[in-house]
Amino acid sequence: MTDVEMNRLRWRCRRGRLENELVLERFLDAYGAQLEGERLAALKALLDYNDDDLWSLVSGRRECGDPALGEVVQLLRRC
Amino acid sequence: MALAKRSFDAVVVGAGGAGLRAALQLSESGLSVAVLSKVFPTRSHTVAAQGGIGAALGNMDEDSWLWHMYDTVKGSDWLGDQDAIEFMCREAPKLVYELEHFGMPFDRNENGTVYQRPFGGHSQNFGERPVQRSCCAADRTGHAMLHTLYQRNVRAHTQFFVEWMALDLVRDSSGQVLGVTALEMETGEVMILNARATLFATGGAGRIFWSTTNAFICTGDGLGMAARAGIPLEDMEFWQFHPTGVAGAGVLITEGVRGEGGYLLNKNGERFMERYAPNLKDLASRDIVSRAMATEIKEGRGAGPHGDYLLLKLDHLGPEVIDKRLPGIREISKKFANIDPVKDPIPVVPTVHYMMGGIPANYLGEVVVPQGGNPEAVVPGFYAAGECACASVHGANRLGTNSLTDLLVFGKAAAESMIKFLKENPGRKDLPKDAAERTLSRLARLDNQKNGESVAEVATEMRRTMQSHCGVFRFPDTLAEGVKKIRGIADRASRTQIKDKSRVFNTARLEALELDNLVEVARASMVSAEARKESRGAHDRSDQYKDGDRLEYKPVHMKPLTARTIEPKVRTY
Ligand SMILES: Cc1cc2nc3c(=O)[nH]c(=O)nc-3n(C[C@H](O)[C@H](O)[C@H](O)COP(=O)(O)OP(=O)(O)OC[C@H]3O[C@@H](n4cnc5c(N)ncnc54)[C@H](O)[C@@H]3O)c2cc1C
């Protein structure tokens, strides 16, 4: 990932809800440097979710229907 | 250097509840409206509001706007303007019904009316007993409200500038505001957005503190821009500490938990709020509960290995009530406190939550400044609404649910004032030659700085200083020292340096520019806290003071619009 892409991603991890931001921050610290391919695509797709839906997935209130996102959702839940 | 310019009738900076409510009014009246936001509109911080919108609909028990007004005036510790408070409380039901008609999915009673839950500080019959006044959509009121308003704006063809950061106000020599300079993140380009009327709705600034419930975006940009343009800020010493932030994480546990019957315990298992507020107990207003908690901790009755938090108990409500009325609470507790509140109490501490002060505005949303002998001269073309503004309805302490009410009422009122101003002042004034001067020199300074300071380090130092010198309890000596420190920090912030000088999506630059705003807010807060030698609402000083010491730079409006003045008295709950 280029620096610009990483910056854009970090900015989009700014959310309306602090809960999401804290989890995304932990996620980027842990996995940000190696993000590519399907994982990167999955994270980008999740960042397009609204804050409430994203938090429902991250907190485990709801299961993710999309298998392509499952792995990143699991990682976020552990962050 | 000449900058590119785009012109609109109205520019709204901020796409939270206040900005979107205003933009809707403006767009629907046929004006050309640009709304700027640092993030996608529905990611504005309003989305986080859980508890509800305060409005005396009277759907649960008898209620009246006059009682709502009384509670708000009392909550403000008589520092709120009674004309603005009357206006807000009278308008609130109308604005809630309007929102309902826009499609807001409120919770319902069995008879179809909007469900209202109890909330701290709201009472029936002038403080007699709690009343259910908070209109809510489960624990997602802010989310539902923001999405509803956004959809309506799309329908009204409001033009959004997403991932744009406003940098400075443009004022001419007469003081009139003619728009803003702004940076488009994707290109790094700086532009002038020329407006015949400009509204700030940039939200709060909780990120000046170490521990806050606020999202990362709450950096007080509107206040920084106003202050740099010579507009003094009002009531900046008043920061609300929410009683129940999850210890260590800051994440908010809504007051709705106490509204539904949860309560606080100290390490001895004592329900200590019964001692501090015999009537309303855990539902007393926020400053009272936060202070009681800080006292319990200070006197050694805090829970946990370091005795530095208290316990919020709700297991007695049962999983059904918790899951139905407070569903989000369980997940937050599990994730950030490692406990399940169905079984165990949640560790909580008073956490910075809301900025009562801001850009001084009257109840019409017009920004006012001291000028000549007039403490409230209107700044032509400039408006402010929402958390960044000080209308001033919250005074020294805001009641829960009154911010969403404020966003709706004053967002709309400011827009109405703008529409009127634009009608009465047709045509467009020329931009001054130096319109972008301040912005360009700030950017050039940042790009050319040598041997400068690290943005992250200065920000950390600022947050630590605010937390330790300007907390729930305030002491004259630590405040005086805090003023010195924060001035030093502001000085360091004027010498920040960034390594990355690229244009496209340069977040280092954005964060440096945000720090400029944070520091303005932090300095104003510390200096005001030191200067206000009295205890009032959220501002609690340890020293004694005399009545004559009262800080009076802008007289409080004690006269409501139509109601009788609510006379000051000692606040008990
Ligand atoms: C966790 C939490 C729960 C809450 N619950 C409640 C509740 O139940 N009831 C209640 O009444 N209040 C509640 N509050 C308070 C209330 O949510 C906020 O005060 C309110 O939402 C602020 O709305 P706003 O429109 O003023 O600003 P925000 O919603 O914060 O929006 C600010 C907007 O300004 C934009 N912006 C900022 N700076 C710039 C810039 N330089 N350039 C361009 N755009 C910019 C942002 O992108 C954003 O769009 C809660 C607060 C928190 C933190």
Side-chain angles (χ1 to χ4, degrees), chain B residues 169-179 229-231 367 369 371 378-382 429 432:
Chain B
L169 262 186
V170 175
R171 286 183 94 180
D172 69 9
S173 56
S174 75
Q176 181 160 344
V177 168
L178 302 173
I231 291 165
V367 174
V369 289
Q371 203 173 68
V378 170
V379 180
F382 192 28
K429 280 179 96 176

Side-chain angles (χ1 to χ4, degrees), chain A residues 4 7-8 11-12 14-16 18-19 21-23 26 47 50-52 55 59 61 76-77 79, chain B residues 38 43 45 47-48 139-140 143 163 185-186 212 215-216 251 328 331-332 335-336 505 507 514:
Chain A
V4 169
N7 281 350
R8 202 182 278 118
W11 190 262
R12 292 188 182 152
R14 288 208 181 191
R15 313 297 302 190
L18 179 62
E19 295 90 319
E21 291 183 318
L22 293 174
V23 171
R26 293 175 194 169
L47 290 180
N50 71 50
D51 266 283
D52 223 52
W55 176 245
S59 64
R61 196 200 291 191
L76 285 168
R77 284 184 186 173
C79 282
Chain B
K38 292 200 285 188
R43 274 171 220 158
H45 198 38
V47 92
D139 62 343
R140 38 191 289 165
H143 170 94
E163 294 180 343
M185 298 181 192
E186 192 54 56
T212 174
F216 297 172
V251 174
E331 285 107 27
I332 288 174
K335 189 101 196 154
F336 299 105
F505 241 103
T507 43
E514 284 183 334

Side-chain angles (χ1 to χ4, degrees), chain A residues 10-11 13-26, chain B residues 38-39 45 204-208 212-221 249 463 511 514 518:
Chain A
R10 273 202 189 274
W11 190 262
C13 290
R14 288 208 181 191
R15 313 297 302 190
R17 292 184 68 151
L18 179 62
E19 295 90 319
N20 285 331
E21 291 183 318
L22 293 174
V23 171
L24 287 165
E25 196 179 42
R26 293 175 194 169
Chain B
K38 292 200 285 188
V39 294
H45 198 38
R207 302 307 298 187
I208 67 169
T212 174
T213 61
N214 287 190
F216 297 172
I217 198 181
C218 300
T219 55
D221 294 2
R463 296 193 169 110
E511 281 164 14
E514 284 183 334
L518 284 162

